[in-house]
Amino acid sequence: TSPMGVSLFTVRYDNTDSTRQEIATWVETDSAGGAYVSGTSRAGSFANPVNANGLLMRFAADGTLLWRRLIGSDFDGGSALRVLRDAADNAYVLGVGPTPSGVRARIHKYSPSGSLIWTWFDFAGVGTPLNLKWGANGHLVVPARAATGQLGGVATVDVNGQTQALLTALPAYAGLDAAVDANGQIFVA
């Protein structure tokens, strides 16, 4: 859509696996006027689907699909929640999926050409991720909330996939959000 609200084009990518359905979860622009789109591939009936995989697609400015990647191993039960990009057009995809520590939050970093660079996972159990955003110090911030109960947590991860902080068992009665300042201090609401 143009700045004046005029639709320039509509593009869709139809899933080629008839046993699955795909839903878009987030869109992020790139420096060339294109976009990254994260999503979740689901299987089963429309009334009661189960997550099969997270996915990431990159589109050019004219809507041409440049590449599409399923995240994780085939039908690993994963999902994708958000995608962010950095100044070099690397994409960071936040989701949930199996890890060596169980089903936990994961971040996958992809190059602009679609190659997987690294995978980070939550080994401490901060909770189900709610958001992915940039901290003022250039690190990724993942506020999370427990699937049950009233607790949550926060993870901060650098652009090399290294955990910088993991806070668990934080009160999260109505939700939880977090931000990081330029000095790396974490603020939780």
Side-chain angles (χ1 to χ4, degrees), residues 52-169:
N53 287 95
L55 61 97
L56 179 65
M57 295 180 281
R58 186 173 187 194
F59 293 89
D62 67 357
T64 302
L65 178 67
L66 299 174
W67 48 261
R68 178 182 181 275
R69 302 289 184 266
L70 283 177
I71 298 172
S73 59
D74 188 41
F75 212 109
D76 69 5
S79 62
L81 178 67
R82 301 273 191 272
V83 60
L84 291 180
R85 71 146 178 112
D86 61 21
D89 281 334
N90 294 300
Y92 302 82
V93 184
L94 174 69
V96 174
T99 74
S101 298
V103 176
R104 301 276 177 93
R106 302 186 301 191
I107 300 172
H108 292 80
K109 180 179 181 178
Y110 286 90
S111 72
S113 64
S115 298
L116 179 63
I117 298 172
W118 52 254
T119 300
W120 171 88
F121 65 91
D122 164 23
F123 59 85
V126 296
T128 302
L130 301 170
N131 201 356
L132 178 66
K133 54 187 169 179
W134 290 109
N137 64 351
H139 294 169
L140 297 160
V141 181
V142 181
R145 192 165 192 281
T148 60
Q150 298 178 338
L151 297 175
V154 177
T156 62
V157 180
D158 69 19
V159 296
N160 297 313
Q162 301 302 307
T163 301
Q164 298 302 304
L166 287 170
L167 305 176
T168 61

Side-chain angles (χ1 to χ4, degrees), residues 11-24:
V11 174
R12 50 183 291 165
Y13 176 83
D14 291 328
N15 178 19
T16 57
D17 184 342
S18 63
T19 66
R20 297 191 188 174
Q21 53 197 283
E22 295 179 350
I23 59 165

